[in-house]
């Protein structure tokens, strides 16, 4: 798997050596539950999660370039396919998932990472649609999805919580890209 670059970020594959940094950020009780997972309890648990869930194709550690410690992940973003996804409906679709460490909220990192991953999804992987979901009340995550061009399609009950399901098709994404380029012209 290759790396994706943005103006400020590198999206790179996860490595087991990232376990201490993952634990540092994923043990925060205000991060995981918003995304549907429990806070990490130990570095060993974080290492296991890297091995079993994050070190898979199209799963990326988010790194701020030029930040110390160098190459330290501050969050995750990825695409889930097939049985790994509860939202994607076919082989040419994927589910977008992400989280970001709390000290980095509000800096525009997640929309920046999301734009890079959607471009990869639609241009390189030739996907037809990307789905995402957020739990009721997680307005920050919803705002990221809206900035990426996803629109709500339905709600569902997910383990006793209301989940809002959003989607963007390749055609919709292409139209937003064309509009952005037109608006950028002098």
């Amino acid at each position: 798997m290759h790396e994706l670059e943005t103006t400020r970020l590198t999206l790179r594959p996860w490595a087991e050596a990232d376990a201490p940094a993952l634990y540092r950020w994923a043990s925060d009780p205000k991060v995981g539950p918003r995304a549907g997972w429990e806070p990490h309890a130990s570095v060993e648990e974080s290492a296991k999660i890297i091995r079993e869930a994050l070190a898979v194709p199209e799963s990326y550690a988010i790194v701020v370039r030029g930040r110390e410690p160098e190459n330290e992940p501050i969050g995750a973003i990825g695409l889930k396919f097939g049985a790994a996804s509860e939202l994607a409906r076919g082989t040419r679709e994927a589910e977008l998932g992400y989280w970001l460490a709390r000290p980095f909220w509000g800096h525009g990192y997640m929309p920046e990472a999301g734009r890079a991953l959607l471009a990869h999804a639609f241009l390189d992987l030739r996907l037809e649609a990307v789905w995402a979901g957020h739990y009721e009340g997680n307005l920050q995550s919803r705002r990221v999805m809206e900035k990426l061009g996803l629109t709500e399609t339905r709600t569902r009950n997910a383990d006793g919580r209301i989940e809002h399901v959003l989607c963007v098709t390749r055609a919709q994404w292409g139209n937003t890209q064309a509009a952005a380029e037109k608006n950028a012209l002098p």
Side-chain angles (χ1 to χ4, degrees):
M1 186 168 71
H2 62 284
E3 293 183 350
L4 303 175
E5 300 277 332
T6 73
T7 303
R8 302 178 293 169
L9 307 173
T10 298
L11 309 182
R12 63 160 176 80
W14 284 91
E16 199 162 335
D18 294 324
L22 177 59
Y23 172 69
R24 175 181 178 195
W25 304 122
S27 62
D28 184 335
K30 295 194 182 217
V31 173
R34 294 168 63 96
W37 44 268
E38 293 297 317
H40 293 199
S42 67
V43 172
E44 293 75 22
E45 178 185 5
S46 293
K48 181 179 179 186
I49 289 170
I50 289 170
R51 284 191 307 273
E52 296 177 1
L54 294 175
V56 297
E58 305 309 329
S59 175
Y60 299 89
I62 300 171
V63 176
V64 179
R65 285 200 305 278
R67 181 184 167 276
E68 293 295 327
E70 186 177 339
N71 209 29
E72 179 188 54
I74 61 160
I77 191 166
L79 297 170
K80 296 189 283 186
F81 302 89
S85 170
E86 295 181 13
L87 303 178
R89 296 179 172 170
T91 59
R92 304 302 307 151
E93 299 182 356
E95 178 180 342
L96 172 67
Y98 53 82
W99 66 269
L100 192 65
R102 198 160 30 128
F104 303 96
W105 292 358
H107 297 279
Y109 292 135
M110 195 53 71
E112 186 174 329
R115 283 189 290 276
L117 190 57
L118 285 181
H120 174 61
F122 291 124
L123 298 176
D124 301 330
L125 302 178
R126 306 296 297 161
L127 295 181
E128 291 298 326
V130 174
W131 297 83
H134 72 87
Y135 292 116
E136 182 78 27
N138 189 346
L139 299 179
Q140 292 156 310
S141 190
R142 181 182 187 89
R143 186 69 189 118
V144 168
M145 292 175 197
E146 290 172 343
K147 287 179 181 181
L148 297 176
L150 283 83
T151 56
E152 187 162 338
T153 62
R154 67 186 188 277
T155 59
R156 68 184 197 125
N157 183 322
D159 300 320
R161 297 170 75 182
I162 295 174
E163 182 179 28
H164 297 266
V165 178
L166 292 83
C167 182
V168 62
T169 66
R170 182 177 0 171
Q172 290 167 331
W173 178 82
N175 289 339
T176 62
Q177 297 308 301
E181 288 175 12
K182 182 179 178 184
N183 290 336
L185 294 175

